[in-house]
Amino acid sequence: MVEWNDTSAPYPQDACIHQLFEEQARRTPEAIAVVFEGETLNYYELDRRAQILANFLIRRGIGPSSLVPLCLERSFEMVVGILGVLKAGGAYVPLEASYPDDRLAYVLKDTSARTVLTHARFASRLAGICSDSIEVAAIDWDWNLKERELESREEANIQVASNDPAYVIYTSGTTGRPKGVVVEHRPFVNRIVWMQKAYELKPEDRVLQKTPYSFDVSGWEFFWPLITGARIVFARPEGHKDPVYLRDIIRSEQITVLHFVPSMLRLFLAMEGACDCVTLKKVICSGEALPTPLKDRFFEVFRNQELHNLYGPTEAAIDVSFYQCRKEDRIVPIGKPIANTQLYIVDPEMNPVPVGVLGELCIGGDCLARGYLHQPELTAAKFVPNPFKTGEKLYRTG
């Protein structure tokens, strides 16, 4: 109740996540920020393109608390789109092109979208789904021409606050209609700053971005490298499903850090040549329980690499607990709370249970989402008053 949850740590509480990227871009403008299919963008070029897009969005009325859906495949446009929305003051809402039309239409209506950003090849499909009030903007631009077009136009100074939304990610909808989870900048910043303090990414590191951006894990794949001067390497669209491709890109791009859900890690470790990925330093697992036999297999294949098990629901900023796996572990726990986060196990009356007694996991602290978009009753039911900290909330995972 006390020592376990004593996780207080400093972080820039008034900062927004894109501002941390902008600071890094000023420090290392010439460093490579993103790699995709053999092409690169440095920090200056990425920041410039994102600002051009932000100016485009601002002129269309996008500002603080605006929700901007993105329907993009893994590409330079994906990271430019995310950063451009944030720079304009909005929150990005990731949509997969593989979603059925009715799910796309539902999210576009639920977010009250004014503009949706996409690739030219998806524009006609989206135009057929969107209402007449939504602009479909293809951002496969000639960026140099766009810069000349926009450079003389002075934009308003956008004031974005740390309690403004940064992203809205929709749940799968397996238990009903998809729910939009609203995450503000502050918990997002806390989560990314914690990760750097815990794992210390260096400028020479290369992070493979392969998690679909409709899952919140992708958030650290984007922003952890971008606030530390490291490099994002994009897997090709659908490449995250192909173990052979992943092995090859890890070796060719000298990837040092990447994420696996355990089911995909199992396929990867079963493949011939996985042990040849010698540049890997850390593998982060989350999204599913990490079985002990799979942990054992990892240490059979990799002798010097680290395996970390993280846990967190969509209703928090990515992850709320962490554990570094050891060869001798009999089980793989979800670990300890991250910075400025509390974890409690409680009974149905919200009383803490003794160690070793089953109960419901509740999460508190600076990690929590704002709640569910347009669903105040569900938000009130799941984000409840914290009986252990006056004036704060707990998220009930049960």
Side-chain angles (χ1 to χ4, degrees):
M1 290 296 294
V2 181
E3 291 88 352
W4 177 258
N5 281 319
D6 184 11
T7 60
S8 178
Y11 71 98
Q13 297 187 29
D14 294 329
C16 296
I17 192 69
H18 62 285
Q19 294 167 348
L20 301 185
F21 159 71
E22 291 168 344
E23 292 171 3
Q24 185 62 49
R26 288 191 289 270
R27 288 192 293 266
T28 58
E30 300 301 322
I32 293 176
V34 191
V35 179
F36 178 61
E37 299 282 75
E39 298 185 8
T40 64
L41 286 179
N42 65 30
Y43 274 81
Y44 168 77
E45 292 167 330
L46 178 57
D47 189 44
R48 176 178 63 85
R49 291 190 182 191
Q51 190 59 57
I52 292 169
L53 179 58
N55 295 347
F56 172 86
L57 292 170
I58 291 166
R59 292 203 313 278
R60 280 153 178 78
I62 302 302
S65 299
S66 297
L67 305 184
V68 183
L70 312 177
C71 187
L72 298 164
E73 289 188 323
R74 210 173 282 119
S75 60
F76 288 150
E77 283 78 19
M78 178 177 281
V79 67
V80 169
I82 290 171
L83 286 167
V85 170
L86 294 172
K87 279 173 168 283
Y92 71 94
V93 185
L95 300 175
E96 303 289 350
S98 59
Y99 287 167
D101 287 1
D102 59 348
R103 180 177 172 111
L104 292 174
Y106 170 75
V107 173
L108 292 170
K109 181 179 179 181
D110 196 48
T111 55
S112 303
R114 302 175 64 171
T115 302
V116 56
L117 304 180
T118 190
H119 297 294
R121 60 186 177 276
F122 302 144
S124 60
R125 177 192 173 203
L126 285 170
I129 296 171
C130 293
S131 67
D132 293 339
S133 62
I134 301 176
E135 177 186 14
V136 178
I139 58 171
D140 309 71
W141 288 341
D142 180 329
W143 292 96
N144 290 322
L145 290 177
K146 278 291 175 184
E147 182 179 37
R148 288 197 292 272
E149 176 189 336
L150 299 175
E151 63 187 0
S152 63
R153 302 191 183 188
E154 185 174 344
E155 302 297 345
N157 184 22
I158 301 300
Q159 298 294 324
V160 188
S162 61
N163 61 352
D164 284 330
Y167 65 80
V168 176
I169 285 183
Y170 278 76
T171 61
S172 63
T174 53
T175 58
R177 302 209 75 172
K179 302 180 289 291
V181 179
V182 183
V183 174
E184 299 171 353
H185 282 271
R186 182 175 294 174
F188 199 3
V189 168
N190 176 64
R191 169 60 179 75
I192 301 300
V193 169
W194 163 81
M195 197 169 198
Q196 176 60 7
K197 290 179 179 178
Y199 301 133
E200 194 181 1
L201 204 65
K202 297 180 179 179
E204 60 267 26
D205 280 311
R206 302 177 179 201
V207 176
L208 184 62
Q209 202 293 304
K210 69 179 188 65
T211 303
Y213 75 149
S214 55
F215 291 93
D216 58 359
V217 168
S218 64
W220 70 252
E221 292 178 337
F222 291 119
F223 283 98
W224 184 26
L226 288 181
I227 72 165
T228 56
R231 182 180 305 189
I232 301 172
V233 178
F234 275 118
R236 70 189 182 201
E238 300 300 306
H240 62 284
K241 300 176 181 179
D242 183 348
V244 174
Y245 168 76
L246 293 177
R247 177 200 63 195
D248 292 345
I249 194 172
I250 290 167
R251 294 194 298 198
S252 64
E253 294 292 344
Q254 300 182 322
I255 300 299
T256 59
V257 179
L258 82 164
H259 174 269
F260 276 112
V261 293
S263 53
M264 191 63 191
L265 178 61
R266 181 179 292 106
L267 294 176
F268 181 78
L269 295 176
M271 180 187 54
E272 182 179 353
C275 61
D276 296 332
C277 298
V278 295
T279 61
L280 278 180
K281 299 176 183 177
K282 294 180 176 67
V283 172
I284 311 293
C285 269
S286 66
E288 302 166 357
L290 179 55
T292 302
L294 182 57
K295 179 268 298 179
D296 294 339
R297 176 60 181 160
F298 178 90
F299 288 116
E300 290 172 2
V301 173
F302 294 117
R303 302 300 174 89
N304 301 310
Q305 286 80 353
E306 298 176 7
L307 178 64
H308 298 266
N309 187 40
L310 276 63
Y311 161 79
T314 308
E315 287 81 358
I318 311 176
D319 299 300
V320 299
S321 69
F322 69 110
Y323 181 78
Q324 181 170 349
C325 300
R326 303 172 298 177
K327 292 180 182 179
E328 62 269 24
D329 288 333
R330 290 189 173 185
I331 61 168
V332 181
I334 66 170
K336 299 169 67 174
I338 73 164
N340 303 299
T341 298
Q342 289 78 49
L343 303 179
Y344 304 97
I345 310 296
V346 301
D347 65 18
E349 285 73 43
M350 297 294 289
N351 299 307
V353 299
V355 173
V357 175
L358 292 176
E360 178 186 357
L361 174 64
C362 290
I363 302 165
D366 292 358
C367 61
L368 294 185
R370 177 186 292 183
Y372 299 104
L373 185 66
H374 305 320
Q375 299 200 47
E377 292 182 0
L378 180 61
T379 298
K382 297 293 286 184
F383 293 83
V384 300
N386 186 339
F388 314 116
K389 285 196 171 186
T390 303
E392 297 190 12
K393 295 286 187 181
L394 283 182
Y395 170 69
R396 304 188 64 171
T397 64

